[in-house]
Amino acid sequence: MSGWQRVCTLDALVPDRGAAALVGDHQVALFRLSDTEYVHAVDHLDPFSQANVMARGLVGSRGGVATVASPMHKQAFDLKTGQCLDDPEVSLQVWPTRVSDGWVEVELPERVGPP
Amino acid sequence: MTKKKLAVVGAGMVAHRLVEAMVERGADQEWDIEVFGDETRPPYDRVALTSFFSNSDPDDLLLGDGELWKRPGVRLYRGSIVSHIDREAKQIHARNTTFEYDRLVIATGSYATVPPVEGSDLPGCFVYRTVDDVAELRAWVTDREAALGRKVKGAVVGGGLLGLEAAGALTALGAETTVIEFADWLMPMQVDQAGGGALQRIIEQMGVEVRTSTATSKLRADRDGKVARMQFADGEKIQADVVVFATGVRPRDELAREAGLEVGERGGVIADKYCATSDESIFAIGEVAHIAGRLWGLVGPGYSMAEVVADRLLGGDATFEGADLSTKLKLLGVDVASFGDAFAATNGSLEVVYADPLAGIYKKLVMSDDAQTLLGGMLVGDASAYTNLRPMVGRALGSDPTAWLLPEGMEPPTGGTLPDDANVCSCNNVTAGTVRGAVTDHQCTDIAAVKACTKAGTSCGSCVSLVKKLMETQMAEEGLEVNTALCEHFAYTRAQLFDVVRVSEITTFSELVEKHGTGRGCDICRPVAASILASLGNGHVLDGENAAIQDTNDHVMANLQKDGTYSVVPRIPGGEVTPEGLIVIGQVAADYGLYTKITGGQRIDLFGARIEQLPAIWKRLVDAGFESGHAYGKSLRTVKSCVGQSWCRYGVQDSTTLAVDLELRYRGLRSPHKLKLAVSGCARECAEARGKDVGIIATDKGWNMYVGGNGGFTPRHAQLFAEDLSTEDLVRAIDRFLMYYVRTADRLQRTAPWLESVEGGIEAVRAVVFEDSLGIAADLDAAMEAHVDAYEDEWAATLADDEKLARFASFVNAPETPDPDLVYVEERGQRRPANGDERAVLIAGTSIPVREAEVVV
């Protein structure tokens, strides 16, 4: 399965609070920030704790960069790039998103993860 | 390269420091280190032994992180008595084996001595030296109290440091204690007659009897052969159900004697300034060592000797040049300090004395004959000037000495600055210069970093405030700002932010950050704001924008566990629960396959609930009459209680009813850190109330209130705040205490450090609570009343609100689908999350051998 997947209505997302979504076989964390039109999508899997919890982290900013902090042990990640700001060797996968007709859509690349 | 062998006989604090110093300098590359200790524990903090009474886990006293003993090349043999040293063959015998050594260090410390008093070997007679001594003493007092059905009478022979410490311990155990001192006054080694007199007055006011100029002549047993009476040389007798001998220590030098090493006239292995004994392969350090003509009975000099030996073994040329014998102690809650030439032995020295017999204060400074240079001093009853004065010994005081002796509360007249070579931490030999260097050369900008970098303040801790002041002064000099900002988004402390929100009546985070902060906030300031808004009564935690600033626990009103599931904790006020209630909890746990555990706070924790299951689980619990236990919040957790007078044959008040009432009163109260209370129905303290933020212990006349205790990473014993309060007065005092704390503490600051940080300390808080010294009592009362009136159960409110319930979806596009990655194994009849290895096996589809695990997704 690849291409744009319709996930939920924009209204279903609480501003500045994440929500988890199943996109294909992937668990994705969606964040709708209160001051932008854009919806961020990153892995729901926290690479540090290996638990599917990223959508439950707090959004925020660090030096102007929009972030989400893992709710498990508070490492911050750049919502735009997925880069962990506390450990340069770790990052979350970032998923392309768009809002169309009031629906949030996430693009699944051709091949992600193990075949 | 073959490594050389170092054997260390003795595994006390000084031996620990030696090994630590060796490892720090990389000496474990060159040396194999074998340490032999006769106690079964790794080295522990003997100086803090008395804290073991409040803090019943002896492991809390262990020194260092324990990793030291796991390093390659370092071995600790516990419970190993070295029976013989063969100097010819360079071998020691222990554990029925022979160990070779190239160098040997004797660090066997000393024995507690017992005077040759008839009956001193009766059951019920103790010394006060090891964790085991203390544990046995505690067990004895508890058992005797139960057997006798009355308070135990305790006698401590010896009114020195150790004796008063033992008296404090006995008193804490509930014994009626008498201290017997042979000399004419207490602590004759540290303070003069006037100081001893002041000390005695304060101690007697606490109900401890003191007999000076008294010799013990014999001890008599009761019919069971247990110690029961003590007779004095003048023929007088007292009852004594337990006797502690604290009459001094003697070096444990018999091993050295037997090996033919030179020993001092009054014992101790004679060593030179390099700590080398008469056999150059053998060193002696600590209390067993006799160096420069004397024994050194404190840990500070022992640490210095350990550093000397570590340096010598690595080819250095360090020497032991004597050490600071200053002491500062809190004995029975009384400050006593003595430093430098405390007895004015220097020719022509002058003594400046301040004494207030009513307040129980005696202070003396010893000055040089020109009254310029500080030579020493002693402080009884108020030793607050100690940390500033001790480093000044041998230096010009630079101001009128009497100014240093004025009552507490006055700023010390330092004016000048401490010279770089002034020793600020005598335990670890750290100078003011080293602390400053931590800031200038090692970029330390907080006290934790300075401690880690210099070791200052890491042993007894009495110098921490001075070290902090030195650090902050140096930071100011470097142009570094002493940072009290909450995070990058708010330049305020939590207390300032609280006032900002309260005064400007802000009700949302976005308004707060817009008017008083920057950026989008973060995981630090958002929950702080959430807590402040909740404390000021801004509605349900999930109302409107509040939902976006709660940490995940508060957001789903449950505790996040390691696999991303949550635990559920219904409130069980005071730990009281009906059989019907227990059945409902059990049935819910069974139906949802939740792992069930009784918590440390008298409640039941249900683990493994998935986010989408939480509403259904809570619906069942709420229907059965349970409500949120707020186990997820920085808020009131539990009010623990004992059974109290309704069932207990010792109880003097109804602790359970009070605990239930208090828990219902303060439930839901948001605070800077979690809050725990406890109520004990009698002095036996079964609820462990003194380990809580607010502890209440029943007396015949009412309730004693303790504040500032906690468990956790830095356990603290609560301090007595007020005595014999009526229930009404007690509740008002707790209301004010908690509300004042909620408003003024820093983020994640527990009540103990808060009490220390409040200007004026616990006294100032007492004045706020009981005398309304700040004129805010009515405000605090009203705030608590508002909290109590506005309380509603968060879970009941959530269940009645479809919009809030919509947030408990596993996936926004598949709200009921469980997280497919959760995998469990069974252990002791319940399930727990599979660990990494188990997951790999389980996901591959086979079962795990041995454990007979099963997948129970």
Side-chain angles (χ1 to χ4, degrees), chain B residues 10 26 39 106 216 241 257 283 292 357 368 431-432 446 496 522 528-529 561 594 614 667 700 743 813 839:
Chain B
E39 286 187 68
I106 299 179
T216 307
D241 309 309
R257 272 174 204 272
F283 296 90
S368 60
T431 63
D446 59 54
Q496 288 168 331
C522 63
V528 165
Q561 302 300 329
L594 304 176
L614 289 170
R667 61 189 164 174
D700 299 343
R743 292 196 166 188
N813 55 349
R839 283 182 71 91

Side-chain angles (χ1 to χ4, degrees), chain A residues 6-8 12-17 19-23 27-28 30 33-36 44-45 49-53 56-64 66-67 69 71-72 74, chain B residues 488-489 518-524 526-527 544 546-552 555-556 560-566 611 807 809-814 817-822 839:
Chain A
R6 205 164 248 214
V7 178
C8 62
L13 300 180
V14 178
D16 286 342
R17 192 85 224 182
L22 274 178
V23 184
Q27 298 194 30
V28 172
L30 302 175
L33 301 181
S34 55
D35 53 353
T36 68
H44 188 33
L45 185 75
S49 66
Q50 296 296 316
N52 293 305
V53 294
R56 302 179 215 155
L58 281 173
V59 299
S61 64
R62 193 183 283 189
T67 58
M72 202 63 83
K74 313 297 180 197
Chain B
E488 71 173 69
H489 307 103
T518 58
R520 204 184 290 280
C522 63
D523 58 297
I524 291 172
R526 282 176 173 249
N546 283 353
I549 56 176
Q550 308 293 343
D551 220 338
T552 184
H555 189 243
V556 303
L560 180 66
Q561 302 300 329
K562 61 186 279 187
D563 62 347
T565 62
Y566 290 86
I611 191 167
R807 307 203 180 130
S810 51
F811 299 102
V812 65
N813 55 349
T817 305
D819 177 351
D821 291 347
L822 296 173
R839 283 182 71 91

Side-chain angles (χ1 to χ4, degrees), chain B residues 161 325-330 335-338 379 382-387 460 462:
Chain B
L161 287 179
L325 289 176
S326 304
T327 42
K328 174 172 180 275
L329 291 146
K330 211 175 186 72
D335 276 342
V336 182
S338 128
L379 306 163
D382 168 19
S384 51
Y386 172 79
T387 42
C460 81
S462 68

Side-chain angles (χ1 to χ4, degrees), chain B residues 214-235:
Chain B
T214 304
T216 307
S217 70
K218 62 180 78 147
L219 297 168
R220 291 289 170 92
D222 63 7
R223 270 176 300 174
D224 301 335
K226 293 172 175 147
V227 70
R229 277 178 306 284
M230 174 180 276
Q231 190 175 327
F232 301 119
D234 61 9

Side-chain angles (χ1 to χ4, degrees), chain B residues 271-277 280 282-285 291-292 304-313 316-321:
Chain B
D272 58 17
K273 63 181 177 178
Y274 309 113
C275 301
T277 66
E280 60 180 20
I282 304 180
F283 296 90
I285 58 176
I291 303 181
S304 304
M305 295 176 205
E307 301 275 352
V308 167
V309 170
D311 187 69
R312 304 294 303 179
L313 289 174
D317 53 5
T319 56
F320 176 75
E321 301 288 352

